[in-house]
Amino acid sequence: MFVSCTDAEDLKIFLKQKEFLQREAALKRYEQRVEELKLQEVPGTLEPSAIPDAQVLGKGIVDPHRGQVFEKLIGGNDLFPVSYLESGLIAAKSVCRLQLRDAAGRTAGFGTGFLVAPSLLLTNHHVLSSEATAEWSIAEFNYELDTFMREKEKKSFRLQPDKLFLTDEELDFTLIAVEERASDGTLANEFGYLPLFPQKGKASAGEYVSIIQHPSGAAKAVAIRENKITDIFGDFLHYETDTLEGSSGSPVFNDSWTVVALHHAGVPDPDTPGAFLANEGIRVSSIFQRISDKAASLSLEQQKLVTGLIGDTSVEEQPLQMEVGELSKKRYETAEGYIPSFLGPEVPLPELQGVLLEDAAKLKDGGILLDYTHFSIVMSMARRLAFYTAVNIDGSQLLDIKRSRDKWYFDPRISEAFQCGPDIYEANDLDRGHLVRRRDPVWGEKAKEANEDTFHFTNCAPQHKHLNQKTWLDLENYLLNGAENHKLKVSVFTGPVFRDDDPLYRGILIPQEFWKVAVMITNNGRLSATAYLQSQKNLIKDFEFTYGEYKTYQVSILMIEKLTRLGFGKLKEHDPLKSEVREIQQLEHITL
């Protein structure tokens, strides 16, 4: 159905019709679901959470965003750390008001949307159902009231449907590009974004959700926590939440401030005009899958945009089933591994001394270095994880090889007893985190072998699903994209921080911090070595542990040496950050 956007009144009528149809469809689903549950003789959905045993996980791994949520679920305690509110404010920055306008600039209605990538916005199909509507509409960020109930300065961005407009009436979503810079120079990436994750089970019936929204087109508001999920079925969630007209397109959050659904309709009470039986949202896992399915039909430029959304966190990258395979022994004999002279100047591997050297897993030939295609690894016997990984990246030869299946390998050159295998990752919130990122060594004639080599358990570390959100993932993209766009060579070292107080889970001490050192030749021909740390520890208070969100910092290489007891030799002389600790909230904060 097409509607001309040249007249605001026509557009208002059209938007009302679309909203009415969504409510009618929601009511039909609700009634069908009621009948279905009656037949099953169950009071509500029994779909399990992604957390199979909250008591066990609560003792073993604490989701830093949730703080004391497990205590709430188990013991009835309603206390939350104050950082919960701070995390909510950060999430709220990415939410905007959509002002729907006609070609003359007249306002026809309002909706809500939110950034899911630096320049991609998600809302409902019934809010933005056509490129013609989107062409004249604007996204307004920072439309909210301060503590004195005064309006803050709004930042308005044009939508760019000609760049990307991906819409789906069945799941009622529209993914659309947003201009990167407003007319006043404000960058869209200053508002962050809310990543979409493909895994199901981010919420379950009986849990509570929050919605950040622009009700009736008014200033930003939040319906916080006391909004119970009443049912989960198919592609939808039902919940008891306060929303008004204009809230369509709002993100629905769990207690980790992770988006679990896209709010789109109320379920009207057929017996009471103006009343609602529930509110309905479309599950993020369903939207994510639909976007992935549609990506193949997009142009090359559009695929690049969507890759920023579904890239290394896609369903393909985090499949539910893992297969353990085996490679031929001859394969390892030809692997060249990390090359210290790759950049020109010598960049040696980190040095292990004393107890670290004694703990290094020995190969049959007595060495400790596991060489793969374009990267190398040294393993800790006690922790069953890598002390460090080292990879060479050639930006002029990078290739895009898609991941076809989830097949992982033990390395036969060391005992399996020294490798953290598949058991640690089953039925929990732990991801199989690549230390050498899958795409980094995928270049040159042996790109295919390099891609496959990254799927060794030696290159894998148990990482909570929130670890790679936002800034850390942005940092990895920044390094790889910079190498590719500028045809640079980069050498990157990565590893976990081993601490005695790391939480024990299934016999493995789970690292809560990860570090990275990137080395490259700058435009002036000088060697640059920069270090980064992702942590939920408070660096300002001498690393005293506090529960909070994961943050990414640029730190000195000297600090990485102190934390890991690895030696980086003369690299410290090429570090522009000598002693300062700097939180990275935007990539512009990085000092090279």
Side-chain angles (χ1 to χ4, degrees), residues 4-38:
S4 170
C5 294
T6 58
D7 186 270
E9 291 303 317
D10 288 345
L11 182 54
K12 286 180 182 178
I13 295 171
F14 176 75
L15 292 172
K16 286 287 187 183
Q17 290 174 338
K18 298 289 285 188
E19 184 177 10
F20 174 78
L21 291 174
Q22 287 297 334
R23 287 181 176 178
E24 289 298 300
L27 176 59
K28 185 176 181 180
R29 280 189 292 269
Y30 182 89
E31 293 172 339
Q32 290 175 341
R33 182 63 173 162
V34 169
E35 293 302 314
E36 178 184 328
L37 293 176
K38 284 181 180 178

mmCIF file of all heavy atoms in Angstrom, residues 4-38:
data_model
loop_
_atom_site.group_PDB
_atom_site.id
_atom_site.type_symbol
_atom_site.label_atom_id
_atom_site.label_comp_id
_atom_site.label_asym_id
_atom_site.label_seq_id
_atom_site.Cartn_x
_atom_site.Cartn_y
_atom_site.Cartn_z
ATOM 1 N N SER A 4 0.908 8.902 -0.520
ATOM 2 C CA SER A 4 1.681 10.099 -0.844
ATOM 3 C C SER A 4 2.033 10.828 0.435
ATOM 4 O O SER A 4 1.220 10.938 1.354
ATOM 5 C CB SER A 4 0.859 11.027 -1.753
ATOM 6 O OG SER A 4 1.505 12.277 -1.871
ATOM 7 N N CYS A 5 3.272 11.313 0.509
ATOM 8 C CA CYS A 5 3.725 12.021 1.702
ATOM 9 C C CYS A 5 3.648 13.525 1.517
ATOM 10 O O CYS A 5 4.271 14.276 2.253
ATOM 11 C CB CYS A 5 5.164 11.608 2.031
ATOM 12 S SG CYS A 5 5.306 9.889 2.500
ATOM 13 N N THR A 6 2.910 13.985 0.512
ATOM 14 C CA THR A 6 2.852 15.423 0.250
ATOM 15 C C THR A 6 1.826 16.125 1.109
ATOM 16 O O THR A 6 1.813 17.342 1.173
ATOM 17 C CB THR A 6 2.522 15.677 -1.229
ATOM 18 O OG1 THR A 6 1.274 15.042 -1.544
ATOM 19 C CG2 THR A 6 3.618 15.098 -2.121
ATOM 20 N N ASP A 7 0.987 15.412 1.803
ATOM 21 C CA ASP A 7 -0.055 16.014 2.614
ATOM 22 C C ASP A 7 -0.047 15.405 4.008
ATOM 23 O O ASP A 7 -0.172 14.193 4.167
ATOM 24 C CB ASP A 7 -1.427 15.817 1.966
ATOM 25 C CG ASP A 7 -2.500 16.570 2.711
ATOM 26 O OD1 ASP A 7 -3.082 15.970 3.637
ATOM 27 O OD2 ASP A 7 -2.758 17.736 2.365
ATOM 28 N N ALA A 8 0.072 16.261 5.027
ATOM 29 C CA ALA A 8 0.189 15.787 6.398
ATOM 30 C C ALA A 8 -1.079 15.080 6.875
ATOM 31 O O ALA A 8 -1.016 14.094 7.601
ATOM 32 C CB ALA A 8 0.516 16.957 7.327
ATOM 33 N N GLU A 9 -2.270 15.588 6.476
ATOM 34 C CA GLU A 9 -3.514 14.969 6.920
ATOM 35 C C GLU A 9 -3.655 13.552 6.370
ATOM 36 O O GLU A 9 -4.078 12.641 7.074
ATOM 37 C CB GLU A 9 -4.711 15.828 6.501
ATOM 38 C CG GLU A 9 -4.803 17.142 7.254
ATOM 39 C CD GLU A 9 -4.864 16.934 8.767
ATOM 40 O OE1 GLU A 9 -5.597 16.017 9.206
ATOM 41 O OE2 GLU A 9 -4.177 17.670 9.484
ATOM 42 N N ASP A 10 -3.310 13.375 5.090
ATOM 43 C CA ASP A 10 -3.353 12.026 4.518
ATOM 44 C C ASP A 10 -2.393 11.096 5.243
ATOM 45 O O ASP A 10 -2.702 9.926 5.497
ATOM 46 C CB ASP A 10 -2.977 12.073 3.031
ATOM 47 C CG ASP A 10 -4.077 12.690 2.179
ATOM 48 O OD1 ASP A 10 -5.220 12.815 2.683
ATOM 49 O OD2 ASP A 10 -3.793 13.055 1.026
ATOM 50 N N LEU A 11 -1.240 11.619 5.580
ATOM 51 C CA LEU A 11 -0.245 10.802 6.272
ATOM 52 C C LEU A 11 -0.724 10.431 7.670
ATOM 53 O O LEU A 11 -0.537 9.293 8.118
ATOM 54 C CB LEU A 11 1.087 11.554 6.352
ATOM 55 C CG LEU A 11 2.258 10.814 7.007
ATOM 56 C CD1 LEU A 11 2.493 9.455 6.351
ATOM 57 C CD2 LEU A 11 3.526 11.662 6.955
ATOM 58 N N LYS A 12 -1.389 11.369 8.357
ATOM 59 C CA LYS A 12 -1.933 11.070 9.681
ATOM 60 C C LYS A 12 -2.941 9.927 9.614
ATOM 61 O O LYS A 12 -2.929 9.004 10.428
ATOM 62 C CB LYS A 12 -2.613 12.313 10.271
ATOM 63 C CG LYS A 12 -1.662 13.390 10.756
ATOM 64 C CD LYS A 12 -2.439 14.574 11.314
ATOM 65 C CE LYS A 12 -1.507 15.692 11.753
ATOM 66 N NZ LYS A 12 -2.251 16.873 12.268
ATOM 67 N N ILE A 13 -3.825 9.984 8.636
ATOM 68 C CA ILE A 13 -4.842 8.937 8.471
ATOM 69 C C ILE A 13 -4.183 7.600 8.175
ATOM 70 O O ILE A 13 -4.541 6.557 8.737
ATOM 71 C CB ILE A 13 -5.835 9.318 7.349
ATOM 72 C CG1 ILE A 13 -6.629 10.561 7.758
ATOM 73 C CG2 ILE A 13 -6.767 8.158 7.026
ATOM 74 C CD1 ILE A 13 -7.475 11.140 6.637
ATOM 75 N N PHE A 14 -3.183 7.632 7.294
ATOM 76 C CA PHE A 14 -2.480 6.413 6.926
ATOM 77 C C PHE A 14 -1.790 5.783 8.144
ATOM 78 O O PHE A 14 -1.858 4.570 8.371
ATOM 79 C CB PHE A 14 -1.455 6.725 5.843
ATOM 80 C CG PHE A 14 -0.593 5.559 5.457
ATOM 81 C CD1 PHE A 14 -1.102 4.531 4.672
ATOM 82 C CD2 PHE A 14 0.723 5.484 5.879
ATOM 83 C CE1 PHE A 14 -0.316 3.452 4.313
ATOM 84 C CE2 PHE A 14 1.519 4.410 5.527
ATOM 85 C CZ PHE A 14 1.003 3.396 4.742
ATOM 86 N N LEU A 15 -1.132 6.623 8.964
ATOM 87 C CA LEU A 15 -0.444 6.116 10.147
ATOM 88 C C LEU A 15 -1.426 5.520 11.148
ATOM 89 O O LEU A 15 -1.154 4.492 11.772
ATOM 90 C CB LEU A 15 0.356 7.245 10.806
ATOM 91 C CG LEU A 15 1.557 7.767 10.010
ATOM 92 C CD1 LEU A 15 2.134 9.012 10.670
ATOM 93 C CD2 LEU A 15 2.628 6.695 9.869
ATOM 94 N N LYS A 16 -2.595 6.150 11.291
ATOM 95 C CA LYS A 16 -3.622 5.618 12.187
ATOM 96 C C LYS A 16 -4.102 4.250 11.704
ATOM 97 O O LYS A 16 -4.319 3.326 12.488
ATOM 98 C CB LYS A 16 -4.812 6.589 12.262
ATOM 99 C CG LYS A 16 -4.557 7.845 13.069
ATOM 100 C CD LYS A 16 -4.519 7.537 14.557
ATOM 101 C CE LYS A 16 -4.426 8.814 15.371
ATOM 102 N NZ LYS A 16 -4.316 8.506 16.826
ATOM 103 N N GLN A 17 -4.298 4.121 10.391
ATOM 104 C CA GLN A 17 -4.733 2.846 9.829
ATOM 105 C C GLN A 17 -3.708 1.745 10.097
ATOM 106 O O GLN A 17 -4.060 0.630 10.480
ATOM 107 C CB GLN A 17 -4.977 3.001 8.325
ATOM 108 C CG GLN A 17 -6.188 3.847 7.970
ATOM 109 C CD GLN A 17 -6.287 4.095 6.475
ATOM 110 O OE1 GLN A 17 -5.305 3.999 5.745
ATOM 111 N NE2 GLN A 17 -7.492 4.435 6.024
ATOM 112 N N LYS A 18 -2.443 2.079 9.866
ATOM 113 C CA LYS A 18 -1.393 1.083 10.082
ATOM 114 C C LYS A 18 -1.326 0.664 11.552
ATOM 115 O O LYS A 18 -1.174 -0.517 11.870
ATOM 116 C CB LYS A 18 -0.034 1.648 9.644
ATOM 117 C CG LYS A 18 0.066 1.994 8.166
ATOM 118 C CD LYS A 18 0.109 0.751 7.309
ATOM 119 C CE LYS A 18 1.434 0.051 7.355
ATOM 120 N NZ LYS A 18 1.548 -1.061 6.380
ATOM 121 N N GLU A 19 -1.475 1.638 12.458
ATOM 122 C CA GLU A 19 -1.450 1.325 13.883
ATOM 123 C C GLU A 19 -2.638 0.453 14.268
ATOM 124 O O GLU A 19 -2.497 -0.509 15.047
ATOM 125 C CB GLU A 19 -1.447 2.619 14.704
ATOM 126 C CG GLU A 19 -1.316 2.397 16.194
ATOM 127 C CD GLU A 19 -1.255 3.698 16.959
ATOM 128 O OE1 GLU A 19 -1.493 4.760 16.373
ATOM 129 O OE2 GLU A 19 -0.975 3.630 18.173
ATOM 130 N N PHE A 20 -3.814 0.773 13.722
ATOM 131 C CA PHE A 20 -5.014 -0.013 14.001
ATOM 132 C C PHE A 20 -4.831 -1.458 13.545
ATOM 133 O O PHE A 20 -5.181 -2.407 14.267
ATOM 134 C CB PHE A 20 -6.228 0.615 13.300
ATOM 135 C CG PHE A 20 -7.476 -0.208 13.416
ATOM 136 C CD1 PHE A 20 -8.221 -0.203 14.584
ATOM 137 C CD2 PHE A 20 -7.901 -1.014 12.359
ATOM 138 C CE1 PHE A 20 -9.375 -0.977 14.690
ATOM 139 C CE2 PHE A 20 -9.042 -1.775 12.456
ATOM 140 C CZ PHE A 20 -9.794 -1.766 13.627
ATOM 141 N N LEU A 21 -4.271 -1.642 12.358
ATOM 142 C CA LEU A 21 -4.064 -2.994 11.829
ATOM 143 C C LEU A 21 -3.102 -3.785 12.705
ATOM 144 O O LEU A 21 -3.285 -4.990 12.918
ATOM 145 C CB LEU A 21 -3.548 -2.920 10.392
ATOM 146 C CG LEU A 21 -4.550 -2.404 9.341
ATOM 147 C CD1 LEU A 21 -3.850 -2.243 7.997
ATOM 148 C CD2 LEU A 21 -5.738 -3.349 9.217
ATOM 149 N N GLN A 22 -2.069 -3.133 13.217
ATOM 150 C CA GLN A 22 -1.127 -3.823 14.095
ATOM 151 C C GLN A 22 -1.799 -4.246 15.396
ATOM 152 O O GLN A 22 -1.573 -5.341 15.906
ATOM 153 C CB GLN A 22 0.081 -2.928 14.382
ATOM 154 C CG GLN A 22 1.038 -2.762 13.214
ATOM 155 C CD GLN A 22 1.687 -4.069 12.792
ATOM 156 O OE1 GLN A 22 1.830 -5.000 13.586
ATOM 157 N NE2 GLN A 22 2.075 -4.155 11.529
ATOM 158 N N ARG A 23 -2.666 -3.389 15.929
ATOM 159 C CA ARG A 23 -3.374 -3.737 17.172
ATOM 160 C C ARG A 23 -4.331 -4.904 16.945
ATOM 161 O O ARG A 23 -4.450 -5.806 17.781
ATOM 162 C CB ARG A 23 -4.136 -2.518 17.689
ATOM 163 C CG ARG A 23 -3.244 -1.441 18.278
ATOM 164 C CD ARG A 23 -4.066 -0.270 18.793
ATOM 165 N NE ARG A 23 -3.228 0.726 19.442
ATOM 166 C CZ ARG A 23 -3.667 1.862 19.943
ATOM 167 N NH1 ARG A 23 -4.966 2.159 19.851
ATOM 168 N NH2 ARG A 23 -2.844 2.717 20.516
ATOM 169 N N GLU A 24 -5.022 -4.887 15.808
ATOM 170 C CA GLU A 24 -5.938 -5.983 15.496
ATOM 171 C C GLU A 24 -5.182 -7.300 15.344
ATOM 172 O O GLU A 24 -5.624 -8.351 15.816
ATOM 173 C CB GLU A 24 -6.714 -5.671 14.212
ATOM 174 C CG GLU A 24 -7.747 -4.567 14.379
ATOM 175 C CD GLU A 24 -8.818 -4.963 15.390
ATOM 176 O OE1 GLU A 24 -9.500 -5.981 15.153
ATOM 177 O OE2 GLU A 24 -8.950 -4.264 16.416
ATOM 178 N N ALA A 25 -4.028 -7.239 14.681
ATOM 179 C CA ALA A 25 -3.218 -8.449 14.519
ATOM 180 C C ALA A 25 -2.707 -8.941 15.871
ATOM 181 O O ALA A 25 -2.660 -10.150 16.134
ATOM 182 C CB ALA A 25 -2.047 -8.177 13.575
ATOM 183 N N ALA A 26 -2.330 -8.004 16.747
ATOM 184 C CA ALA A 26 -1.856 -8.370 18.079
ATOM 185 C C ALA A 26 -2.970 -9.030 18.894
ATOM 186 O O ALA A 26 -2.741 -10.011 19.610
ATOM 187 C CB ALA A 26 -1.324 -7.131 18.806
ATOM 188 N N LEU A 27 -4.191 -8.497 18.799
ATOM 189 C CA LEU A 27 -5.322 -9.085 19.502
ATOM 190 C C LEU A 27 -5.605 -10.504 19.002
ATOM 191 O O LEU A 27 -5.858 -11.421 19.791
ATOM 192 C CB LEU A 27 -6.571 -8.216 19.331
ATOM 193 C CG LEU A 27 -7.868 -8.778 19.941
ATOM 194 C CD1 LEU A 27 -7.714 -9.009 21.435
ATOM 195 C CD2 LEU A 27 -9.040 -7.843 19.653
ATOM 196 N N LYS A 28 -5.534 -10.685 17.688
ATOM 197 C CA LYS A 28 -5.765 -12.015 17.117
ATOM 198 C C LYS A 28 -4.729 -13.010 17.637
ATOM 199 O O LYS A 28 -5.058 -14.142 18.016
ATOM 200 C CB LYS A 28 -5.713 -11.942 15.596
ATOM 201 C CG LYS A 28 -6.055 -13.257 14.906
ATOM 202 C CD LYS A 28 -6.091 -13.088 13.399
ATOM 203 C CE LYS A 28 -6.464 -14.411 12.717
ATOM 204 N NZ LYS A 28 -6.501 -14.259 11.234
ATOM 205 N N ARG A 29 -3.458 -12.606 17.675
ATOM 206 C CA ARG A 29 -2.410 -13.483 18.201
ATOM 207 C C ARG A 29 -2.652 -13.787 19.682
ATOM 208 O O ARG A 29 -2.452 -14.916 20.138
ATOM 209 C CB ARG A 29 -1.035 -12.837 18.021
ATOM 210 C CG ARG A 29 -0.465 -12.967 16.623
ATOM 211 C CD ARG A 29 0.985 -12.515 16.570
ATOM 212 N NE ARG A 29 1.125 -11.090 16.787
ATOM 213 C CZ ARG A 29 1.116 -10.180 15.819
ATOM 214 N NH1 ARG A 29 0.965 -10.539 14.557
ATOM 215 N NH2 ARG A 29 1.266 -8.892 16.093
ATOM 216 N N TYR A 30 -3.074 -12.766 20.424
ATOM 217 C CA TYR A 30 -3.330 -12.934 21.854
ATOM 218 C C TYR A 30 -4.431 -13.964 22.089
ATOM 219 O O TYR A 30 -4.295 -14.870 22.920
ATOM 220 C CB TYR A 30 -3.719 -11.583 22.455
ATOM 221 C CG TYR A 30 -3.958 -11.594 23.952
ATOM 222 C CD1 TYR A 30 -2.920 -11.373 24.839
ATOM 223 C CD2 TYR A 30 -5.240 -11.807 24.454
ATOM 224 C CE1 TYR A 30 -3.138 -11.369 26.210
ATOM 225 C CE2 TYR A 30 -5.476 -11.814 25.827
ATOM 226 C CZ TYR A 30 -4.419 -11.596 26.701
ATOM 227 O OH TYR A 30 -4.641 -11.603 28.059
ATOM 228 N N GLU A 31 -5.535 -13.820 21.349
ATOM 229 C CA GLU A 31 -6.650 -14.748 21.516
ATOM 230 C C GLU A 31 -6.271 -16.165 21.111
ATOM 231 O O GLU A 31 -6.656 -17.139 21.778
ATOM 232 C CB GLU A 31 -7.853 -14.254 20.702
ATOM 233 C CG GLU A 31 -8.438 -12.947 21.251
ATOM 234 C CD GLU A 31 -9.507 -12.365 20.340
ATOM 235 O OE1 GLU A 31 -9.527 -12.714 19.133
ATOM 236 O OE2 GLU A 31 -10.337 -11.572 20.836
ATOM 237 N N GLN A 32 -5.522 -16.298 20.027
ATOM 238 C CA GLN A 32 -5.069 -17.628 19.610
ATOM 239 C C GLN A 32 -4.153 -18.244 20.659
ATOM 240 O O GLN A 32 -4.204 -19.440 20.922
ATOM 241 C CB GLN A 32 -4.343 -17.527 18.267
ATOM 242 C CG GLN A 32 -5.246 -17.216 17.087
ATOM 243 C CD GLN A 32 -4.481 -17.006 15.797
ATOM 244 O OE1 GLN A 32 -3.280 -16.739 15.802
ATOM 245 N NE2 GLN A 32 -5.180 -17.106 14.674
ATOM 246 N N ARG A 33 -3.312 -17.409 21.248
ATOM 247 C CA ARG A 33 -2.384 -17.899 22.263
ATOM 248 C C ARG A 33 -3.124 -18.357 23.510
ATOM 249 O O ARG A 33 -2.776 -19.370 24.126
ATOM 250 C CB ARG A 33 -1.391 -16.797 22.612
ATOM 251 C CG ARG A 33 -0.330 -17.182 23.618
ATOM 252 C CD ARG A 33 0.551 -18.281 23.115
ATOM 253 N NE ARG A 33 1.656 -18.513 24.038
ATOM 254 C CZ ARG A 33 2.402 -19.603 24.075
ATOM 255 N NH1 ARG A 33 2.166 -20.590 23.220
ATOM 256 N NH2 ARG A 33 3.389 -19.737 24.937
ATOM 257 N N VAL A 34 -4.168 -17.618 23.903
ATOM 258 C CA VAL A 34 -4.976 -18.011 25.063
ATOM 259 C C VAL A 34 -5.590 -19.387 24.841
ATOM 260 O O VAL A 34 -5.560 -20.261 25.720
ATOM 261 C CB VAL A 34 -6.070 -16.964 25.338
ATOM 262 C CG1 VAL A 34 -7.078 -17.497 26.352
ATOM 263 C CG2 VAL A 34 -5.448 -15.667 25.857
ATOM 264 N N GLU A 35 -6.141 -19.607 23.656
ATOM 265 C CA GLU A 35 -6.729 -20.906 23.344
ATOM 266 C C GLU A 35 -5.680 -22.003 23.327
ATOM 267 O O GLU A 35 -5.915 -23.125 23.798
ATOM 268 C CB GLU A 35 -7.454 -20.846 21.990
ATOM 269 C CG GLU A 35 -8.681 -19.948 21.988
ATOM 270 C CD GLU A 35 -9.693 -20.393 23.044
ATOM 271 O OE1 GLU A 35 -9.960 -21.610 23.135
ATOM 272 O OE2 GLU A 35 -10.198 -19.510 23.773
ATOM 273 N N GLU A 36 -4.522 -21.699 22.802
ATOM 274 C CA GLU A 36 -3.436 -22.679 22.738
ATOM 275 C C GLU A 36 -3.001 -23.112 24.133
ATOM 276 O O GLU A 36 -2.798 -24.299 24.409
ATOM 277 C CB GLU A 36 -2.259 -22.068 21.985
ATOM 278 C CG GLU A 36 -1.037 -22.960 21.880
ATOM 279 C CD GLU A 36 0.129 -22.258 21.210
ATOM 280 O OE1 GLU A 36 -0.118 -21.409 20.325
ATOM 281 O OE2 GLU A 36 1.285 -22.549 21.572
ATOM 282 N N LEU A 37 -2.874 -22.135 25.042
ATOM 283 C CA LEU A 37 -2.447 -22.449 26.399
ATOM 284 C C LEU A 37 -3.517 -23.210 27.168
ATOM 285 O O LEU A 37 -3.209 -24.031 28.030
ATOM 286 C CB LEU A 37 -2.065 -21.164 27.137
ATOM 287 C CG LEU A 37 -0.811 -20.442 26.605
ATOM 288 C CD1 LEU A 37 -0.591 -19.139 27.343
ATOM 289 C CD2 LEU A 37 0.408 -21.337 26.748
ATOM 290 N N LYS A 38 -4.782 -22.926 26.860
ATOM 291 C CA LYS A 38 -5.864 -23.686 27.496
ATOM 292 C C LYS A 38 -5.763 -25.164 27.124
ATOM 293 O O LYS A 38 -5.942 -26.049 27.956
ATOM 294 C CB LYS A 38 -7.215 -23.129 27.060
ATOM 295 C CG LYS A 38 -7.603 -21.831 27.726
ATOM 296 C CD LYS A 38 -8.974 -21.364 27.240
ATOM 297 C CE LYS A 38 -9.383 -20.059 27.906
ATOM 298 N NZ LYS A 38 -10.694 -19.589 27.394
#
